[in-house]
Amino acid sequence: MPENENTYFHSVSIDPKACRGCIHCIKFCPMEAIRVRNRKAVITAERCIDCGECVRVCTSHAARATVDNLQILKDHKYNVALASMPLFAQFKNLNDPNILLTAILELGFDDVYEVAVGAEIVGNETRRYIRQHPENYPYISTSCPAVLRLVRMRFQNLSEHLLPIQTPTEVTATLALKKAMEDTGLPAEDIGIIHISPCPALSAFSKEPLGIRKSKITGNLSVKAIYPLLLQKMPLVKDNPKKLSHASSLGLGWRADGTGGGYITEKYMSANGVHNVLKILESLEDDSIDGLEYLDLYTCTGGCVGGTLNVENPYIARADLRSVRAHLPKRIPKDELPFSGDISWNQRIRFDDVYKLGNTMQESLRRLAAAEKIEKEFPGLDCGSCGAPTCRALAEDIVRGKAYRHDCIYFLRDHIHALTMELNTISDDINRTILEDKGHPTAQQMERLQDYITQLWAELNELDSRFK
Ligand code: SF4
Ligand code: SF4
């Protein structure tokens, strides 16, 4: 698990046994949360937003998302699966969502509920909310938990723009739990609500949500793990699927491929991919976004179909989702939507400045000045050989006491060079004593020589260890 445990629950972690210290992930982490130390990647937990970028790029499969497995069905007397919207996009030529939903029941679930229904409820509520609250335009959608965590950690002054509405998955979980209790007469603690999740951020969020006190979701399975099992079951049920689907085309597409923003308002911007999202939030922070009411943001490329726990390429998945959506009603009439109660946030969000350099303003300013000075000593190549993503990040690690100047191989090389020059000078000095003065080297000269040789040896060993 990540190194600092006094933060939010995380789904993403790095297996040190599988990590080969290639530094690939440090370049892709949008939060600069990963460092490679002693040839192993380590996540700084308080910075991680579980976006899954490291999972996506790690070819050694050392960066992983932890989710549950089907054994979790044994934990409760009655289990309901929440079928995430991207799940429908993983299958070619799926012209009847009921085939997929029936196959899910075949895995051992007692019931299944589509997250698309919750998405439609959230869409309606979002529309109502932003019309009634023009004071904080533009609102940032909070259905992507990674976006929410990103704002919480890095853009605290945008807090009033956060849309205080629960995620479609959470709203669906509430509906599913209510229905299960009504159907079975069981108490909530006997019912498992298991989300088939497209991304680690949603899984982590269900363990430790923001904006609500506790999630109704009791477990998470990955789309990836369930996909091959469903491929086996679907042909068995395709001729006689149960009528389970209640979703509409709007609900299924809204969060899955980011095509729902236009339904909320005409004055919206939709963006996906964590680096694009970062740029938009920076622009909003700089007041350079004008005239918009709603920002529909997803950290995964392509929206939730791009989640790292999916199987299919996001662009292919988007196309496949269109074909399922074509077989669904356009939208669920408002009076047919299940009653969800109040879906607004009921818990204040704690904002943490995880990038501050010190505990007090004074200390932060002092360290900032020191980091700027140290950064100038480095070559500015941002090569990552030190284990930090940029020279600036290394300088900040140094002022926090978490790294050394010598972690920079260029700094180390220059230092070795300087030591070699010093050795040369001492050696010349000793030679002069022997040849010109016809004397013996002094104890002081020998001591200096020994001292420099020891230092050089240590530095060479340090350099060597980087390449082992
Ligand atoms: S990408 Fe990161 S986690 Fe994966 S092997 Fe390389 S350093 Fe380790
Ligand atoms: S999940 Fe995202 S934020 Fe967390 S370490 Fe990986 S890339 Fe960085």
Side-chain angles (χ1 to χ4, degrees):
M1 291 301 286
E3 66 179 4
N4 188 338
E5 290 300 330
N6 67 357
T7 60
Y8 288 98
F9 172 88
H10 291 283
S11 168
V12 174
S13 62
I14 289 171
D15 175 1
K17 286 201 197 96
C19 174
R20 55 197 170 94
C22 68
I23 70 171
H24 195 45
C25 54
I26 63 172
K27 291 286 173 191
F28 286 86
C29 173
M31 304 301 285
E32 295 194 343
I34 310 176
R35 297 292 184 271
V36 174
R37 303 268 179 253
N38 302 318
R39 295 181 58 79
K40 298 289 171 198
V42 180
I43 296 174
T44 306
E46 64 263 33
R47 286 190 177 191
C48 176
I49 57 169
D50 288 283
C51 66
E53 285 299 304
C54 52
V55 179
R56 202 188 304 278
V57 300
C58 176
T59 50
S60 306
H61 304 294
R64 296 170 187 168
T66 306
V67 280
D68 300 302
N69 58 43
L70 277 173
Q71 291 298 318
I72 199 168
L73 298 187
K74 292 185 181 152
D75 291 356
H76 294 93
K77 290 185 180 153
Y78 188 88
N79 290 289
V80 188
L82 302 187
S84 62
M85 295 167 283
L87 179 65
F88 294 84
Q90 310 302 307
F91 302 91
K92 301 241 168 299
N93 307 318
L94 179 67
N95 52 20
D96 181 357
N98 287 307
I99 299 173
L100 175 60
L101 298 172
T102 309
I104 291 174
L105 292 187
E106 291 291 308
L107 299 179
F109 287 95
D110 300 292
D111 200 0
V112 58
Y113 216 106
E114 293 150 294
V115 176
V117 176
E120 199 150 339
I121 294 170
V122 171
N124 287 336
E125 179 58 13
T126 302
R127 207 146 78 123
R128 186 200 63 76
Y129 187 89
I130 65 169
R131 276 188 187 161
Q132 291 180 1
H133 296 274
E135 63 275 11
N136 290 321
Y137 285 164
Y139 284 96
I140 302 167
S141 59
T142 48
S143 294
C144 171
V147 169
L148 181 51
R149 282 190 172 181
L150 180 60
V151 174
R152 187 190 75 82
M153 289 176 192
R154 222 179 123 171
F155 298 94
Q156 286 123 32
N157 46 354
L158 299 182
S159 61
E160 75 270 19
H161 294 283
L162 288 172
L163 189 73
I165 293 177
Q166 295 178 29
T167 64
T169 323
E170 197 53 46
V171 171
T172 310
T174 305
L175 293 170
L177 179 62
K178 189 165 155 265
K179 180 174 181 289
M181 288 167 72
E182 282 165 9
D183 288 353
T184 63
L186 289 169
E189 52 273 24
D190 284 343
I191 296 166
I193 304 290
I194 319 290
H195 182 215
I196 304 175
S197 176
C199 79
L202 278 163
S203 307
F205 192 77
S206 71
K207 306 270 186 227
E208 217 168 329
L210 292 168
I212 55 170
R213 202 179 59 76
K214 193 171 182 300
S215 172
K216 307 275 189 317
I217 296 164
T218 55
N220 292 279
L221 301 169
S222 75
V223 169
K224 220 178 243 178
I226 294 304
Y227 174 79
L229 306 175
L230 291 173
L231 274 185
Q232 287 170 16
K233 300 285 183 193
M234 282 163 74
L236 308 177
V237 301
K238 78 174 179 11
D239 294 329
N240 196 17
K242 294 183 180 167
K243 296 254 172 296
L244 297 163
S245 178
H246 299 285
S248 69
S249 172
L250 177 73
L252 202 60
W254 185 53
R255 294 301 308 176
D257 65 3
T259 52
Y263 166 71
I264 306 297
T265 164
E266 281 175 9
K267 296 177 183 171
Y268 85 104
M269 181 199 286
S270 181
N272 55 68
V274 67
H275 294 284
N276 294 327
V277 168
L278 273 168
K279 281 201 183 90
I280 285 166
L281 293 174
E282 277 161 12
S283 303
L284 184 59
E285 204 171 37
D286 296 345
D287 278 335
S288 52
I289 288 186
D290 207 15
L292 293 178
E293 295 176 355
Y294 180 57
L295 302 176
D296 200 20
L297 307 178
Y298 315 79
T299 59
C300 288
T301 302
C304 297
V305 290
T308 47
L309 300 183
N310 291 326
V311 178
E312 191 52 276
N313 168 289
Y315 298 99
I316 297 173
R318 268 186 170 209
D320 289 341
L321 192 65
R322 269 201 298 274
S323 66
V324 196
R325 290 174 68 190
H327 292 87
L328 294 174
K330 243 190 160 68
R331 50 179 301 195
I332 309 172
K334 259 193 185 166
D335 54 359
E336 285 178 26
L337 277 171
F339 177 67
S340 56
D342 183 5
I343 62 165
S344 44
W345 284 356
N346 50 34
Q347 188 94 350
R348 280 173 69 84
I349 292 191
R350 195 187 80 222
F351 288 88
D352 287 337
D353 185 357
V354 296
Y355 290 90
K356 66 177 191 264
L357 286 171
N359 292 323
T360 60
M361 178 69 93
Q362 233 176 4
E363 187 181 36
S364 292
L365 288 172
R366 209 175 47 244
R367 285 183 170 181
L368 182 70
E372 277 165 5
K373 207 165 150 215
I374 293 170
E375 189 187 354
K376 290 193 183 120
E377 297 172 29
F378 299 141
L381 295 173
D382 295 340
C383 66
S385 310
C386 59
T390 60
C391 296
R392 173 58 184 227
L394 176 63
E396 290 184 3
D397 286 352
I398 292 168
V399 298
R400 284 192 182 96
K402 293 185 170 178
Y404 304 96
R405 281 178 172 79
H406 287 196
D407 289 337
C408 168
I409 56 167
Y410 293 92
F411 187 92
L412 190 60
R413 182 197 61 184
D414 290 350
H415 198 234
I416 289 172
H417 187 68
L419 281 175
T420 315
M421 298 297 284
E422 281 298 330
L423 269 175
N424 228 7
T425 311
I426 299 169
S427 148
D428 283 352
D429 198 26
I430 291 173
N431 270 345
R432 219 178 4 262
T433 308
I434 296 170
L435 296 174
E436 292 173 14
D437 306 342
K438 310 268 186 250
H440 297 290
T442 64
Q444 206 183 17
Q445 281 173 325
M446 290 311 290
E447 211 174 291
R448 262 184 86 203
L449 182 64
Q450 189 56 50
D451 190 32
Y452 276 101
I453 288 172
T454 310
Q455 275 190 56
L456 187 58
W457 187 243
E459 306 275 284
L460 284 170
N461 273 338
E462 168 69 31
L463 190 60
D464 222 23
S465 71
R466 304 277 178 89
F467 299 99
K468 265 183 193 148

